[in-house]
């Protein structure tokens, strides 16, 4: 499948949400319109920070993404946390 490799210092910004992705390597699959990596990723958001130690998969417009081996801090409203 056609794919493009981006390496060294990769930064992806979702201008609508303001989310910023940082990683050392990112692949783009033209057929599926998805980004992916198995490298460490850091995602900075307005309400916190998340990390994927084992990479991520993401839609090419960065509107949705899925972390592998995630950790981090995120602010959550009190009424959204189940007890």
């Amino acid at each position: 499948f056609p794919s493009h490799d981006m390496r060294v210092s990769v930064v992806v910004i979702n201008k609508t949400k303001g989310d910023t992705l940082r990683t050392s390597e990112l692949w783009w699959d033209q057929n599926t319109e998805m980004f992916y990596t198995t490298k460490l990723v850091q995602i900075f958001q307005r309400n916190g920070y998340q990390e994927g130690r084992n990479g991520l998969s993401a839609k090419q417009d960065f509107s949705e993404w899925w972390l592998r081996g995630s950790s981090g801090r995120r602010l959550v409203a009190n009424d959204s946390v189940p007890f």
Side-chain angles (χ1 to χ4, degrees):
F1 59 88
S3 66
H4 301 278
D5 177 13
M6 295 172 265
R7 293 183 189 218
V8 181
S9 180
V10 181
V11 177
V12 177
I13 300 171
N14 177 320
K15 293 189 179 197
T16 304
K17 294 182 180 180
D19 297 350
T20 301
L21 165 92
R22 294 184 184 271
T23 187
S24 63
E25 180 179 283
L26 191 65
W27 291 84
W28 174 57
D29 185 329
Q30 183 177 344
N31 293 328
T32 63
E33 300 182 341
M34 297 283 290
F35 286 112
Y36 62 93
T37 185
T38 58
K39 305 292 184 182
L40 172 71
V41 296
Q42 299 171 315
I43 298 179
F44 299 89
Q45 299 173 291
R46 292 182 183 131
N47 61 349
Y49 160 84
Q50 295 187 58
E51 188 172 272
R53 293 182 300 267
N54 302 318
L56 94 156
S57 298
K59 290 185 175 182
Q60 75 178 9
D61 65 359
F62 200 43
S63 62
E64 293 183 40
W65 41 267
W66 304 269
L67 295 175
R68 296 185 197 112
S70 64
S71 66
R73 294 181 59 177
R74 186 171 187 136
L75 298 175
V76 179
N78 287 336
D79 61 354
S80 65
V81 179
F83 290 98

